[in-house]
Amino acid sequence: MANLDEPLRKVLGDKTAKALEKGLDLHTVGDLLHHYPRRYAHRGELTQLSGLEDGEHVTVMAEVVKVQGRSLTRNPGYVLEITVTDGTGELKLSFFGRKGSYRPEKDLSPGTRGLFAGKISTYRPRSGNVVRQLTHPQYKVVHERSAEQAAQEWADEIIPIYPSTKSLPIETIGTSIETVLTQLDLPADPMPEGLLSRRGLIGLREAYEGIHRPKSWDELGRAKKRLKWDEAFVVQMALAQRRLAAAALPAKPRPPAFGGIQAEFDARLPFELTEGQREVGDEIAADLAKEHPMHRLLQGDVGAGKTVVALRAMLQVVDGGGQAALLAPTEVLAQQHYRSITGMLGDLALAGQIGGAEYATRVALLTGSLGAKARKEALLDAASGAAGIVVGTHALLQESVQFADLGLVVVDEQHRFGVEQRDALREKVGGGRPHVLVMTATPIPRTVAMTVFGDLETSVLGQLPAGRSEIQTHVVPPEKPAFFARIWERIKEEAAKGRQVYIVCPRIGEQEGDEGDAVAAEEGERRSPLGIMEVLPKLEELLDGLNIGVLHGKLHPDEKDAVMRRFTAKELDVLLATTVIEVGVDVPNATVMVIMDADRFGVSQLHQLRGRVGRGSLHGLCLLVTEAEPGSKARERLDAVASTTDGFKLSRLDLEQRREGDVLGAAQAGRASSLRLLTLQRDEDVIRDAREEATALVEDDPDLAAHPGLATVLASLLDEDRADFLEKA
Ligand code: ADP
Ligand code: MG
């Protein structure tokens, strides 16, 4: 009898175990059982051959129509060509070898049905259409029905089709799974019985049987439901434990003060807070007053006004005698935050200086590019506590940075930071833990929020501040060259009105290395994406008389800062940039954004980018320039972005178009993937139910003492670094 941890070698013998290890990276009985079929076919159903694409690794069910051997002209070799069909299309199978040495023709006579696996290649003979072929495919004859089997039963039989690999004979997986299933010795079902019946779930053994050898589609459905549940549940249990552990940690409470820097700041605000800002502000204020650390995710679309919310939280902590750190993903953004925070605070940021207001504090900026003197000063201000607010990039995480009393860490634009980095900051606090506020402008679909960010409470800033202007977005397509020509006139008109313009390209160009996660090329050859260095000379011609600045990630931080300053000060009419301006850059006077090769960017990225315009009272205009043809996937994406400014809608679309692995982080895509059946796109209800059950169970039994089976499952998930995806969002 074999349990899930049993090495396959012991059950299947050395040879097969080695083949499975080499071909599919499967080592244990559990690994094999979790290697689920990719799809299922009826015996009576043939795979549609016309849809197969060049280079694709496929397993198809087809019927032999023609068998023909011929000698090769030059070599002493011999090739056996077998044609199979699905009734409409054809596929050619080629077997090379010496005549008589290799005899697939024995098995594959006309009329035989079989499974054929291999990599599709194509060629076009001098006369005629493209021929698809498999060279030396793996094959397995699907036996003719025996006399006693009813025709219907035979045709209905479900045949699991496993992901194929070159090195494995086609039937190896099936027979290995048979063997393993008959010898399988499962411990008691780890899932509590009450839960199973409550959620209508079948037992684990039945589920393994059902997914590998389903006797009916219903049985298969039940098996999938159970196994999917397990995937969702284990993740949710890990998250629930994390939440619980975090909630048990001590933190210094920083309740709102009556009178103090926050009150002073509120009194000076040049605008009314939106209802959302007030509500979220209250939630955060209450969290900060607790004796356990806050772990909150603040979502708000671009321009929703997250910075003020964060600043007010930071001031509450300053009132409570502590310090706050604001972590930005880029140097440009850190500098901008520093500028806007000191700007908003005014004399409240001038503690110890002439003109400093009562309750004033100091704001320090700590980035990697500071000069020695400025750095020393900032470090000193952080360590002495003189700076109530420290703004910085990951330089803040270095060991040499010490705080007198760090009470709150604000992480802006979470998607560029991992949890490890947040943890590094938390460790800067002796004894207790700081409160943590994570802000993101990339709207996160609920399923992702519940999974990837499942250890955080969430707040959403739903509405944009009043007076925020519309952004109109238009696609500038290849079939309308006049639109393209018009762009430059439009830019000049804006500049004449004193407005400013961004022009964004996917690459720097003429330099090594690229930045921006421009979407990878689809099929076929495409020119490389436009770089700003290639575009610059043409722009200078087209926009003669305008001042053009260049901003990209490879510039020295001082230069970047200088360019941003000049743009903010309206000394520049046009800022030609890469995606470094994607997050957070805030210049209300900028009204137009032109995105070149827009199809090279992802949906969420485009949404982020265009959020840079229309920030003031002026209407924004975003032009998506593309060479993508009408009807193409890329054009659909761009049309979607142009059709709505609803970030949540777009993020769902983005999720649909990306693979799970991209969403959950690299670890998830590899072998260690623990999500096989569960998808974030379609299984929101499963995830929600699992979260509910897991939370209740963990609250009831934090160490899973009464659920040893679950504890074991969880431990194996966690120690095989499969928890990685919880960390690396
Ligand atoms: P984001 O959520 O994208 O970080 P910001 O915090 O940068 O947005 O805010 C965008 C702009 O809106 C800033 O110029 C900010 O001063 C302004 N703003 C924030 N809250 C309000 C409000 N309640 N009323 C008017 N303007 C606001
Ligand atoms: Mg922001």
Side-chain angles (χ1 to χ4, degrees):
M1 291 312 255
N3 61 30
L4 291 175
D5 294 330
E6 194 83 24
L8 286 171
R9 185 169 26 84
K10 290 217 179 136
V11 188
L12 302 171
D14 275 343
K15 189 160 158 263
T16 309
K18 257 216 186 80
L20 289 170
E21 193 161 310
K22 212 169 121 239
L24 294 164
D25 208 9
L26 306 174
H27 307 268
T28 63
V29 164
D31 289 346
L32 181 61
L33 282 180
H34 289 114
H35 184 72
Y36 303 142
R38 167 172 296 164
R39 54 196 185 84
Y40 301 81
H42 290 279
R43 198 186 289 269
E45 154 202 305
L46 298 174
T47 310
Q48 205 188 328
L49 298 176
S50 58
L52 303 177
E53 293 191 26
D54 198 34
E56 205 181 344
H57 224 282
V58 298
T59 304
V60 300
M61 175 109 73
E63 187 168 314
V64 176
V65 282
K66 196 163 102 192
V67 179
Q68 190 176 40
R70 62 182 170 87
S71 298
L72 294 174
T73 34
R74 282 195 214 129
N75 311 326
Y78 170 82
V79 58
L80 177 71
E81 291 175 334
I82 294 179
T83 307
V84 296
T85 181
D86 61 359
T88 52
E90 290 193 340
L91 181 67
K92 194 166 184 186
L93 317 176
S94 307
F95 298 89
F96 295 88
R98 283 179 183 282
K99 189 161 185 175
S101 66
Y102 186 52
R103 305 288 305 276
E105 62 262 52
K106 271 195 310 194
D107 305 324
L108 302 173
S109 50
T112 310
R113 283 187 174 195
L115 285 173
F116 305 94
K119 192 165 150 196
I120 297 282
S121 60
T122 55
Y123 65 92
R124 189 187 284 274
R126 248 164 299 156
S127 61
N129 296 324
V130 172
V131 175
R132 294 185 180 79
Q133 71 170 355
L134 296 176
T135 305
H136 281 294
Q138 304 282 353
Y139 67 87
K140 180 187 178 191
V141 173
V142 177
H143 287 291
E144 290 300 321
R145 104 181 104 101
S146 57
E148 61 273 20
Q149 238 176 340
Q152 194 54 45
E153 190 184 311
W154 180 85
D156 283 348
E157 192 174 322
I158 299 170
I159 299 181
I161 297 179
Y162 290 90
S164 69
T165 53
K166 271 197 289 276
S167 52
L168 276 179
I170 200 166
E171 63 267 22
T172 301
I173 297 174
T175 51
S176 301
I177 282 185
E178 287 280 327
T179 309
V180 160
L181 278 174
T182 50
Q183 298 197 28
L184 186 62
D185 181 21
L186 281 180
D189 200 312
M191 222 48 79
E193 229 175 85
L195 189 158
L196 290 181
S197 60
R198 203 163 42 243
R199 299 289 171 182
L201 298 167
I202 61 172
L204 198 50
R205 165 175 282 279
E206 212 184 326
Y208 285 136
E209 291 273 351
I211 195 130
H212 290 294
R213 303 191 292 199
K215 287 189 228 24
S216 70
W217 298 99
D218 281 352
E219 192 182 317
L220 176 62
R222 287 192 294 273
K224 278 189 172 167
K225 183 176 168 188
R226 164 64 203 258
L227 295 169
K228 217 182 236 191
W229 171 271
D230 283 21
E231 289 176 9
F233 189 78
V234 171
V235 169
Q236 291 304 330
M237 219 166 37
L239 289 167
Q241 279 190 327
R242 256 186 99 96
R243 280 198 303 273
L244 210 67
L249 293 169
K252 200 156 160 187
R254 319 271 181 179
F258 296 99
I261 188 167
Q262 194 198 34
E264 288 294 315
F265 174 76
D266 283 353
R268 284 160 214 225
L269 262 182
F271 45 72
E272 290 262 321
L273 293 177
T274 64
E275 210 177 295
Q277 282 171 323
R278 265 201 303 275
E279 273 166 23
V280 172
D282 290 346
E283 272 173 351
I284 295 172
D287 281 354
L288 293 176
K290 289 186 189 149
E291 292 180 348
H292 301 289
M294 164 174 81
H295 290 106
R296 191 169 282 281
L297 175 70
L298 172 56
Q299 292 187 58
D301 211 340
V302 182
K306 295 182 291 295
T307 315
V308 186
V309 173
L311 181 54
R312 292 183 67 249
M314 293 194 268
L315 296 177
Q316 181 174 332
V317 169
V318 172
D319 275 333
Q323 292 167 288
L326 172 59
L327 219 57
T330 65
E331 187 112 11
V332 168
L333 199 54
Q335 261 146 4
Q336 162 151 332
H337 272 311
Y338 175 74
R339 270 197 302 276
S340 74
I341 286 176
T342 47
M344 281 193 269
L345 286 174
D347 58 1
L348 288 172
L350 300 179
Q353 293 177 43
I354 299 166
E358 199 185 355
Y359 302 117
T361 185
R362 284 230 291 271
V363 184
L365 174 67
L366 243 174
T367 60
S369 65
L370 281 188
K373 183 160 167 281
R375 181 179 168 77
K376 206 168 152 196
E377 225 166 87
L379 284 173
L380 211 64
D381 275 359
S384 70
I389 296 175
V390 182
V391 180
T393 54
H394 52 267
L396 269 187
L397 303 174
Q398 282 164 15
E399 276 172 35
S400 56
V401 183
Q402 294 300 328
F403 293 85
D405 181 9
L406 182 60
L408 169 66
V409 176
V410 179
V411 184
D412 194 14
E413 309 300 349
Q414 156 72 12
H415 55 294
R416 309 238 172 142
F417 275 110
V419 168
E420 322 86 72
Q421 285 165 309
R422 272 191 268 152
D423 282 346
L425 250 185
R426 286 181 192 155
E427 274 154 26
K428 296 204 170 294
V429 187
R433 290 278 184 120
H435 300 282
V436 177
L437 178 66
V438 176
M439 304 196 289
T440 172
T442 311
I444 300 168
R446 273 178 52 75
T447 51
V448 180
M450 284 190 291
T451 315
V452 182
F453 298 99
D455 60 334
L456 304 172
E457 306 291 331
T458 42
S459 299
V460 178
L461 271 184
Q463 95 226 84
L464 298 188
R468 188 55 49 77
S469 313
E470 260 171 65
I471 304 173
Q472 285 209 358
T473 307
H474 298 286
V475 177
V476 181
E479 70 272 15
K480 292 187 180 154
F483 273 33
F484 185 73
R486 172 85 181 96
I487 294 176
W488 319 111
E489 290 313 307
R490 182 65 198 258
I491 290 177
K492 284 187 194 164
E493 289 164 21
E494 289 294 313
K497 284 187 267 179
R499 318 268 195 261
Q500 290 161 288
V501 175
Y502 296 103
I503 300 176
V504 181
C505 294
R507 277 193 327 141
I508 303 174
E510 289 181 6
Q511 288 207 14
E512 277 174 38
D514 272 346
E515 66 189 46
D517 316 301
V519 169
E522 280 159 51
E523 294 118 51
E525 301 249 319
R526 295 174 78 188
R527 64 166 172 73
S528 57
L530 281 175
I532 54 184
M533 291 314 175
E534 297 147 21
V535 171
L536 185 60
K538 284 175 213 147
L539 272 188
E540 281 170 338
E541 233 170 81
L542 286 164
L543 300 175
D544 189 26
L546 301 191
N547 292 318
I548 302 174
V550 170
L551 185 69
H552 58 74
K554 290 271 156 64
L555 290 179
H556 188 276
D558 286 347
E559 274 177 275
K560 275 192 248 177
D561 192 36
V563 173
M564 272 320 290
R565 269 177 206 280
R566 290 184 64 205
F567 191 64
T568 311
K570 304 187 193 177
E571 286 167 32
L572 298 173
D573 303 297
V574 176
L575 189 62
L576 176 60
T578 55
T579 53
V580 287
I581 59 158
E582 179 187 344
V583 284
V585 169
D586 187 17
V587 179
N589 191 51
T591 47
V592 177
M593 171 169 288
V594 182
I595 304 179
M596 308 298 291
D597 273 346
D599 49 289
R600 309 287 180 129
F601 298 93
V603 168
S604 290
Q605 217 174 5
L606 291 170
H607 182 61
Q608 289 283 314
L609 279 168
R610 79 175 153 186
R612 304 303 114 216
V613 294
R615 293 178 77 82
S617 53
L618 305 165
H619 285 278
L621 174 68
C622 175
L623 300 173
L624 306 175
V625 182
T626 180
E627 287 178 5
E629 298 296 331
S632 63
K633 269 252 171 298
R635 274 292 281 283
E636 275 173 34
R637 246 191 353 249
L638 297 182
D639 287 341
V641 174
S643 72
T644 179
T645 49
D646 182 338
F648 275 87
K649 232 189 235 169
L650 291 173
S651 77
R652 271 195 300 277
L653 183 81
D654 211 11
L655 184 62
E656 276 160 28
Q657 298 202 339
R658 289 150 77 197
R659 296 201 344 268
E660 299 284 313
D662 301 334
V663 179
L664 293 178
Q668 196 55 8
R671 165 185 110 78
S673 171
S674 55
L675 299 194
R676 290 157 221 270
L677 298 169
L678 191 75
T679 69
L680 296 177
Q681 286 97 321
R682 291 187 300 274
D683 295 317
E684 178 169 342
D685 47 348
V686 181
I687 295 172
R688 192 194 49 230
D689 292 350
R691 182 179 172 87
E692 210 179 284
E693 291 278 2
T695 306
L697 190 139
V698 168
E699 272 171 11
D700 204 46
D701 180 15
D703 307 321
L704 303 176
H707 301 92
L710 281 179
T712 311
V713 175
L714 190 57
S716 76
L717 173 93
L718 294 178
D719 64 41
E720 286 176 48
D721 80 11
R722 293 179 179 187
D724 259 22
F725 69 93
L726 302 177
E727 313 282 321
K728 294 180 190 126

